[in-house]
Amino acid sequence: MFSRRLDWRAAANPVARALETRRPVYDLTASNPTQCGLHYDRELLRAFEQPGALVYEPDARGLGSARDALGLGPCSLLASSTSEVYSWLFKLLCDPGDEILVPRPSYPLFEFLAGLESVRVKQYSLRYSEGWWLDFDSLRTGLTDRTRAILFVHPNNPTGQFLKTVELDELAALCSERNLALISDEVFLDYPLRDDPARCATLGDNGQCLTFVFGGLSKTAGLPQMKAAWVTASGPGSEEAARALELIADTYLSVSTPVQHALPMLLRHGMEVRGQIRERTRENLAALLASGLRPLDVEGGWYATIATPREWTEDEWIVRLLDLHGVLVQPGYFYDFESDGWLVLSLLTEPRVFRTGAAAIAKELAR
Ligand SMILES: Cc1ncc(COP(=O)(O)O)c(C=O)c1O
């Protein structure tokens, strides 16, 4: 009865099954900023008391006041979420059956976002030795005559890796040579955990290939429920691309008028929330290092990864941590790590919960 876009009958994994009968006491998977003890000033709600919100005067690229608050140029559009931006870009760049190259390990939603647009994802590898780097051999191996774009998450989720300037040069040259678009998800850009002059500021200023960069309120202001995001096209063909995106956006007009009027104030209040998140991720990373666990090097974002001894699988470790200590973490396979033996911890977790959870994991792993 249903389309073949996705496997709608996917079975529950062992972690989901374990959670049917047990409740974690120390949940180190928190990724929803509105539910992990951050302070949100009630003043934020006043952002919605705008008379303009009572008038419907849609603009497919987004209202001028919202665009100005974000400093968006002519080749940018507002969207209701970055997930929506993905769907627009896949519609714009791909016919059914075309392919997008995505990193692994990375954000688990690509396959679903692409599948819903009848687009196939092929993965290229991010590798780790002392730090994360992009494996260009695996990227080139994945290219076919149906590849339409290469995607990178800057910094990546969950590895926290920023693309380096030398890597961007090579990536943009490859896209230009093969006539591919470059897509850069920069939702975590505001959250570096340290500085590094080798990293590129954004993938959007490479000038060599058609590039789409996007971000959103969800991470920048810790306000996922407000549903506003933005995308900017740059490089050769960007004006034409922005016109085509406008047509797609115009078909749905999905960004609500109230949130667009509220955007300037939400961004101002969001700076305060962003500050709290920065402080928290740094504090939790320091606590993780002090716990005796040795996370993989993480440059930015909201997550940290630790290795497990190989005597048990990721699922077995997780169920064990849940049963013995009430601690919940995510398995590496959620993010498609190439091998078993990884646990992912959210640095957004409330610090007391994080410290206790990390100490319990350290104890269990050392046994
Ligand atoms: C890398 C990445 N991109 C996009 C999103 C989704 O953001 P939005 O709420 O704007 O759809 C997430 C959410 O966690 C994410 O991790």
Side-chain angles (χ1 to χ4, degrees):
M1 181 185 285
F2 301 137
S3 77
R4 284 195 299 272
R5 285 183 180 81
L6 293 173
D7 178 6
W8 302 103
R9 291 156 298 133
N13 60 50
V15 179
R17 282 204 300 277
L19 287 170
E20 283 168 12
T21 51
R22 310 169 191 64
R23 282 191 121 242
V25 187
Y26 305 102
D27 185 353
L28 275 64
T29 68
S31 60
N32 177 347
T34 66
Q35 290 189 356
C36 54
L38 298 172
H39 173 70
Y40 288 85
D41 194 331
R42 285 186 68 85
E43 279 291 302
L44 249 159
L45 297 174
R46 298 186 59 141
F48 289 91
E49 292 172 9
Q50 314 263 355
L54 291 173
V55 182
Y56 188 42
E57 232 172 1
D59 181 332
R61 291 194 187 212
L63 298 182
S65 54
R67 299 173 56 85
D68 290 348
L70 286 160
L72 299 182
C75 290
S76 304
L77 290 93
L78 252 64
S80 62
S81 67
T82 51
S83 295
E84 185 175 58
V85 172
Y86 276 114
S87 83
W88 289 356
L89 295 178
F90 295 157
K91 284 183 184 71
L92 173 71
L93 299 167
C94 301
D95 288 319
D98 280 347
E99 294 166 3
I100 303 279
L101 274 168
V102 306
R104 88 178 277 195
S106 192
Y107 184 44
L109 221 61
F110 297 145
E111 211 178 316
F112 298 91
L113 292 165
L116 286 168
E117 304 302 328
S118 302
V119 170
R120 296 189 355 190
V121 293
K122 286 189 90 177
Q123 295 174 310
Y124 67 89
S125 299
L126 305 178
R127 306 233 182 251
Y128 189 84
S129 49
E130 291 176 22
W132 287 95
W133 47 277
L134 196 164
D135 179 350
F136 278 96
D137 287 342
S138 78
L139 185 65
R140 287 200 177 81
T141 309
L143 290 170
T144 72
D145 57 6
R146 298 219 62 173
T147 311
R148 294 290 169 263
I150 300 175
L151 200 155
F152 191 79
V153 183
H154 181 73
N156 188 37
N157 167 9
T159 62
Q161 154 198 19
F162 286 87
L163 198 72
K164 307 301 176 291
T165 308
V166 286
E167 291 175 316
L168 176 58
D169 288 345
E170 190 167 346
L171 191 57
L174 179 66
C175 287
S176 162
E177 179 193 314
R178 304 285 294 238
N179 201 23
L180 305 173
L182 181 58
I183 298 175
S184 182
D185 177 337
E186 301 190 356
V187 295
F188 288 109
L189 194 64
D190 296 308
Y191 301 99
L193 288 157
R194 60 161 194 266
D195 295 327
D196 180 357
R199 72 174 64 130
C200 57
T202 168
L203 275 59
D205 57 10
N206 70 74
Q208 293 195 65
C209 62
L210 175 61
T211 306
F212 299 93
V213 171
F214 51 88
L217 275 190
S218 157
K219 306 290 184 288
T220 281
L223 293 168
Q225 76 278 34
M226 299 302 177
K227 295 286 162 199
W230 42 89
V231 54
T232 296
S234 59
S238 50
E239 285 172 18
E240 197 186 339
R243 277 197 297 278
L245 282 176
E246 183 176 347
L247 190 65
I248 297 173
D250 200 29
T251 309
Y252 298 94
L253 292 172
S254 55
V255 197
S256 87
T257 301
V259 81
Q260 295 190 64
H261 280 292
L263 206 74
M265 255 178 96
L266 294 180
L267 287 168
R268 272 202 301 283
H269 282 288
M271 270 166 50
E272 211 272 316
V273 179
R274 185 158 72 232
Q276 291 179 62
I277 296 178
R278 278 198 189 132
E279 206 173 299
R280 176 169 292 189
T281 50
R282 288 173 189 207
E283 179 183 342
N284 280 339
L285 181 60
L288 186 60
L289 294 166
S291 73
L293 289 167
R294 285 218 211 97
L296 298 185
D297 183 50
V298 53
E299 297 174 66
W302 294 1
Y303 300 93
T305 303
I306 55 172
T308 60
R310 294 301 171 90
E311 54 197 301
W312 289 303
T313 64
E314 289 171 359
D315 280 333
E316 286 165 342
W317 275 111
I318 289 172
V319 174
R320 198 178 163 83
L321 287 167
L322 194 57
D323 281 344
L324 298 179
H325 302 278
V327 172
L328 181 66
V329 292
Q330 288 184 321
Y333 72 76
F334 272 16
Y335 299 89
D336 258 339
F337 277 71
E338 284 185 9
S339 59
D340 195 84
W342 308 101
L343 300 178
V344 176
L345 283 53
S346 168
L347 298 173
L348 205 59
T349 309
E350 201 273 307
R352 188 191 51 82
V353 172
F354 189 88
R355 273 197 307 278
T356 315
I361 300 170
K363 188 168 142 204
E364 199 53 44
L365 262 54
R367 250 180 226 238

